[in-house]
Amino acid sequence: MARWYFGWNIVAASATLTLLSVGMRLGVGPFFLPIAHDLGFSRSLLASIVAVGMICYGLAMPVAGHLIARYGTRAVLLLAVVIVDVATAWTILAHSTTAFLLAFGVLLSVGLAFASPVAFTPIISHWFTRQRGMALFFLSTGSMAGMAIMTPVLSAAIEAFGWRASLAGFAVVLTLLAVPVALFVMRDEAPAGTDLLPAGATNAAAPAAAAPPALTLAQALRSAPFWKICAGLFACGFSMNLLGTHGVPMLMDHGFDPHHSAMGIGTIGFVAIFGTLVLGRMSDRLPRRAMLATIYGVRGLGFFALVVVGTHWELYIAASIGGLVWAGSIALSSAILADVYGVRLVGVLYGLAYVGHQIGGMIAAWLGGWGYEHFGTHWVAFGSAGVLLLAAAAVSMQLPARRPALVPA
């Protein structure tokens, strides 16, 4: 009987923490109207604060990647807990626009970035070679579970206890889980041969022989595949953060009650949990660029569908179909980066590429509020998301199928 590979403990712990961090980052929707009404913020003002948070979330990710490379995953995860706790306390006490911007928009976003998938991608990439795609997809399961679980849970908690108590409860749960995980689970040093040893299917020397040529960071940043990944992640961030910030308000504006609005968005994440289990097994067998293009394309069509649904069954059907392909773009992008550039650079490159993801999220968070207030329709933002995702599908098909000889972009 094969021994249990410890790397799967790291994947499980990382997915659980990602559920919380991404669930909160993408779960702004239930907080949006209660905060706006309580603090007297307009939709445009609060959307702008959320947009600042999105870009801070993205800018903090390459910083997290650098700190992990220098100090290790454990130290960065513990730092994330401290930042989130301080930011939460400050947010609860904040009443002015400036204080709320700095606490909720900036500091909380930095803390969540330090406990986001980018913080766990390097350690998982080091622990897995043969099953890297599957492991990173399972990490994405945490993100999808965050949307599926956190959106309705936060919505119910806010309705019962208010947004301040709900935010404090989140910080307590994150602290209680992250501290023991950091101390007892996170081990940056992987065994020689990684997951090839217990599998016994491949010689441990094979990855080294097949490894892509060593590149400097500057050379990688000048190569075409990196910028194509960035373009796709821009569309991904635009769509995901638009849905997380304005999905619930959009459905409520279209006549759905708060419960069904939250459950409709949550259904996307719930279905995506099962989607990741299937896509994860396929990612190490099928061409990753084709899978990535399919995910972006179907997701783009789903955004057009969400704006036109008018009944509960239409909402849940559209959410279920969209959920099948909602996961995977980030996992596939990071796996392709590791395939093309090697695990040594994947943390920093993924963090830098994710800045594009958050720039897209920042624009979407702002455009969702501004577009509705100025034009009285959500088509401006949600239609833009659909178009960007279809374009990302076309760009993804131009990514290398295997480890290529890189050429400058």
Side-chain angles (χ1 to χ4, degrees):
M1 184 175 178
R3 293 180 57 190
W4 175 257
Y5 184 52
F6 189 83
W8 291 114
N9 296 339
I10 296 175
V11 172
S14 300
T16 302
L17 293 177
T18 297
L19 182 155
L20 293 173
S21 64
V22 175
M24 172 56 70
R25 186 66 283 168
L26 296 181
V28 177
F31 284 92
F32 196 87
L33 294 180
I35 289 175
H37 294 156
D38 184 30
L39 299 181
F41 294 161
S42 67
R43 288 197 185 198
S44 293
L45 175 59
L46 184 53
S48 298
I49 292 174
V50 173
V52 171
M54 295 300 177
I55 192 61
C56 290
Y57 186 66
L59 291 174
M61 288 192 173
V63 177
H66 173 73
L67 292 176
I68 287 170
R70 186 166 185 176
Y71 300 107
T73 306
R74 176 179 300 168
V76 173
L77 185 54
L78 291 173
L79 178 60
V81 171
V82 173
I83 295 174
V84 168
D85 288 345
V86 172
T88 298
W90 191 6
T91 300
I92 291 172
L93 299 174
H95 292 280
S96 69
T97 302
T98 301
F100 190 83
L101 168 65
L102 295 175
F104 186 81
V106 177
L107 194 60
L108 182 61
S109 298
V110 172
L112 293 175
F114 282 19
S116 70
V118 74
F120 306 119
T121 295
I123 190 173
I124 291 175
S125 295
H126 277 89
W127 274 81
F128 289 88
T129 301
R130 182 175 59 89
Q131 298 173 297
R132 180 179 296 149
M134 185 186 300
L136 291 172
F137 256 99
F138 287 168
L139 175 62
S140 292
T141 302
S143 299
M144 298 306 103
M147 177 182 292
I149 297 171
M150 295 290 284
T151 298
V153 166
L154 289 172
S155 181
I158 291 169
E159 186 176 354
F161 306 108
W163 70 266
R164 287 185 173 87
S166 300
L167 186 61
F170 162 80
V172 170
V173 172
L174 179 67
T175 301
L176 293 177
L177 286 176
V179 171
V181 163
L183 295 178
F184 303 114
V185 179
M186 293 301 165
R187 303 177 185 175
D188 288 294
E189 294 299 324
T194 65
D195 60 325
L196 295 171
L197 288 176
T202 308
N203 188 288
L215 295 173
T216 66
L217 179 60
Q219 288 174 323
L221 293 178
R222 290 196 300 267
S223 63
F226 172 77
W227 291 104
K228 291 174 182 177
I229 290 289
C230 289
L233 287 177
F234 175 88
C236 176
F238 188 102
S239 60
M240 294 185 75
N241 287 294
L242 176 67
L243 192 68
T245 304
H246 297 285
V248 171
M250 181 271 290
L251 292 173
M252 291 174 64
D253 289 334
H254 288 182
F256 293 94
D257 60 61
H259 171 74
H260 284 288
S261 297
M263 289 302 296
I265 301 302
T267 297
I268 296 175
F270 181 77
V271 174
I273 296 174
F274 300 97
T276 58
L277 301 179
V278 176
L279 293 174
R281 293 186 176 277
M282 296 169 59
S283 67
D284 292 315
R285 302 174 185 177
L286 299 179
R288 285 173 179 162
R289 65 178 181 182
M291 290 183 62
L292 185 59
T294 301
I295 287 171
Y296 282 143
V298 177
R299 191 189 297 178
L301 297 177
F303 266 82
F304 296 126
L306 276 178
V307 184
V308 300
V309 295
T311 63
H312 291 153
W313 68 268
E314 290 176 342
L315 169 61
Y316 288 115
I317 288 177
S320 297
I321 295 174
L324 291 173
V325 294
W326 190 254
S329 55
I330 294 176
L332 283 169
S333 296
S334 56
I336 291 171
L337 286 173
D339 288 345
V340 174
Y341 301 103
V343 297
R344 182 178 60 85
L345 292 177
V346 68
V348 176
L349 288 176
Y350 179 40
L352 290 171
Y354 210 87
V355 174
H357 185 281
Q358 292 311 113
I359 291 175
M362 175 192 69
I363 295 173
W366 168 79
L367 185 62
W370 180 87
Y372 183 78
E373 286 190 346
H374 282 75
F375 299 101
T377 177
H378 291 282
W379 269 111
V380 175
F382 282 76
S384 297
V387 171
L388 285 171
L389 286 166
L390 294 177
V395 171
S396 297
M397 284 304 299
Q398 301 174 28
L399 287 166
R402 293 182 177 86
R403 302 177 176 102
L406 296 177
V407 295

